[in-house]
Amino acid sequence: IGHDVGHPGVNNGFLVKAKDKLAMIHNDRSPLENMHCSLLYEIMGDPNKNIFCGLSESQWREARKSITSSVLGTDMVHHFDQISRVQIFLEVNGQEIKSFLSGTSTEVPCLKEVNQRLFLMELFLHCADISNPYKPFEICKQWADLVVEEFHSQGDREKAEGLEVSPMMDRETTNMFNMQMGFIEFVVAPLVNGFISTFPPLYPAGEFMENNMLNWAELRKGEINADAKIVEKEEEIKKLDDRMTKFKDKMAFVANLKAFEAERAAQN
């Protein structure tokens, strides 16, 4: 609940470019995420809202470390580093997690390590933060509409204030369907695929993500066919179909995770 509290509807890049007070206070380093943490604890400073009032000092410190680490980890500047980290985590610990899930082991040794647990909490919150592409499409599309409008509003502000317009935020040039496909393909899938490979019960996220990618492609095809300015319609659609085929190939592993979960359920 607290990880985006007080969000102003613009990103860190805007705050830094605009020399906003938040960027100044936090020296351009994750100004939004630092503000969320600070405001969260300011709210809990009210005795009527302090849900941690029953914790011991050591428990309070541990909870605060978990919360601040996780919230700061939602800054997208950490995203591609997190992709590398989850791949390493999967290679090192994936088998022992599967052994635990299948019942051949009674514990997951890596979870005894504080830093590993902190990383997983950070990973879970960040994946939740960018989860729209793997929600059911009827929900995904509604949220995408709202996110794109928020982006465009920031672009409008950047133009009005004489700032460079951020990528994907110029309502005059941004194509929503292409944006959503690119976000799934190059940003979300590389992280989420490693995430669900580590935790096979989460395989439905991969199914939803693949389905959403194909739905955005179909909407883009309709747009191509309706656009009189696009002459080589068949060629553009062929490129799109080839792109979808490659994406489906990358997502083929999800069927294996699903089979693993079905076998595990049958044994239990």
Side-chain angles (χ1 to χ4, degrees), residues 6-160:
H7 201 291
V10 293
N11 64 14
N12 283 331
F14 176 88
L15 297 176
V16 172
K17 287 188 296 187
K19 301 181 179 66
D20 186 90
K21 181 180 178 180
L22 277 178
M24 296 296 105
I25 290 173
H26 299 292
N27 300 314
D28 298 345
R29 295 182 179 180
S30 303
L32 286 172
E33 291 74 24
N34 275 296
M35 177 270 288
H36 300 321
C37 291
S38 177
L39 182 54
L40 175 61
Y41 276 88
E42 181 182 331
I43 291 169
M44 288 195 293
D46 181 339
N48 294 320
K49 301 180 179 67
N50 183 10
I51 62 173
F52 293 150
C53 60
L55 299 184
S56 67
E57 179 67 16
S58 62
Q59 289 171 331
W60 190 90
R61 291 290 173 192
E62 183 178 354
R64 178 167 167 79
K65 184 176 181 180
S66 299
I67 289 169
T68 55
S69 295
S70 298
V71 173
L72 291 172
T74 62
D75 186 344
M76 287 299 293
V77 299
H78 306 301
H79 179 81
F80 293 98
D81 177 58
Q82 288 167 332
I83 292 173
S84 299
R85 290 171 68 193
V86 76
Q87 291 297 335
I88 293 170
F89 184 89
L90 174 60
E91 290 173 14
V92 175
N93 305 298
Q95 189 53 53
E96 69 181 33
I97 292 175
K98 280 194 173 183
S99 295
F100 174 79
L101 291 172
S102 62
T104 58
S105 173
T106 59
E107 61 180 21
V108 183
C110 67
L111 296 185
K112 294 180 179 180
E113 300 176 27
V114 173
N115 288 338
Q116 296 282 37
R117 294 200 301 273
L118 281 174
F119 168 63
L120 289 179
M121 284 188 277
E122 176 186 321
L123 183 64
F124 268 85
L125 184 58
H126 181 50
C127 285
D129 197 25
I130 58 170
S131 63
N132 189 53
Y134 51 93
K135 289 182 168 69
F137 189 68
E138 61 272 18
I139 299 173
C140 170
K141 188 176 186 307
Q142 291 182 63
W143 277 110
D145 289 336
L146 293 170
V147 168
V148 169
E149 182 51 42
E150 182 178 290
F151 283 4
H152 288 168
S153 294
Q154 175 175 319
D156 293 343
R157 286 185 62 181
E158 288 170 333
K159 289 179 182 179

Side-chain angles (χ1 to χ4, degrees), residues 220-232:
R220 176 57 182 154
K221 285 181 187 178
E223 195 174 56
I224 291 170
N225 283 322
D227 191 342
K229 296 179 181 178
I230 300 177
V231 178
E232 302 293 339

